[in-house]
Amino acid sequence: MGADPGDRVEHRSLDGADVQISYDDEPKPGEPTSFSWRGALADSALRGTVGKETAVTLLLRKLGVSDIEVGDAEFDSEFHIISSDEEQMRSWVERPAVREALLAVRRRAACIVSIWRQGFEVTGQLPDDATVPDPQLESFCEALYRSAR
């Protein structure tokens, strides 16, 4: 869990797991601030990616590449969700607290949530006028991480 020079990095222990939160403290003028929240997982059965629905993901859908939908029009229009185990990922995303946290993260930053066997990561960019660090964003990431464990 490394970081680039110039990043603001904090390491924490959360329920016995190592987590790292980093912000790019020196973005170039007019560029957004990069952000990442990473945590270790112990052999997670949950695997997949939750990202923003874009023109590219909509085009992929038209070409037959489907994503996971939960039947909530607002949520499904905001996110593109893929997983090697659709049932497991759908079950996680259908939890109201998870959907609320994903929407809250999306309102604060342009992020992608990735979950794999040994880890969890939220990476993205904060708007130009964002406060760094952003404790609210970090708390939503923590809630997602805890729900994935």
Side-chain angles (χ1 to χ4, degrees):
M1 287 194 245
D4 293 327
D7 284 354
R8 168 183 272 172
V9 179
E10 180 181 341
H11 294 271
R12 296 182 192 165
S13 179
L14 183 64
D15 300 333
D18 294 325
V19 299
Q20 174 184 297
I21 304 158
S22 65
Y23 296 88
D24 179 0
D25 260 3
E26 300 171 2
K28 294 177 183 168
E31 289 188 5
T33 299
S34 297
F35 165 82
S36 75
W37 197 106
R38 298 176 184 153
L41 293 175
D43 199 23
S44 174
L46 185 61
R47 295 185 179 102
T49 303
V50 180
K52 181 176 178 2
E53 189 74 81
T54 65
V56 172
T57 60
L58 292 172
L59 176 62
L60 288 171
R61 185 176 298 144
K62 287 183 181 182
L63 295 172
V65 177
S66 64
D67 70 334
I68 299 168
E69 295 193 351
V70 297
D72 176 332
E74 176 192 6
F75 184 86
D76 290 337
S77 69
E78 278 290 318
F79 296 100
H80 181 77
I81 305 167
I82 57 174
S83 175
S84 58
D85 184 339
E86 289 188 20
E87 289 235 0
Q88 186 84 12
M89 186 62 117
R90 182 178 285 109
S91 176
W92 181 67
V93 173
E94 284 179 339
R95 296 181 202 166
V98 170
R99 279 203 319 264
E100 289 171 20
L102 287 167
L103 287 165
V105 165
R106 178 70 196 106
R107 284 190 291 272
R108 299 192 74 79
C111 292
I112 295 173
V113 177
S114 301
I115 306 167
W116 63 98
R117 184 176 176 196
Q118 300 295 325
F120 171 94
E121 181 174 34
V122 179
T123 56
Q125 297 179 328
L126 298 153
D128 293 340
D129 60 349
T131 302
V132 174
D134 184 337
Q136 284 187 309
L137 176 60
E138 292 175 23
S139 71
F140 296 129
C141 292
E142 181 177 319
L144 289 169
Y145 174 69
R146 286 178 188 267
S147 71
R149 293 183 75 200

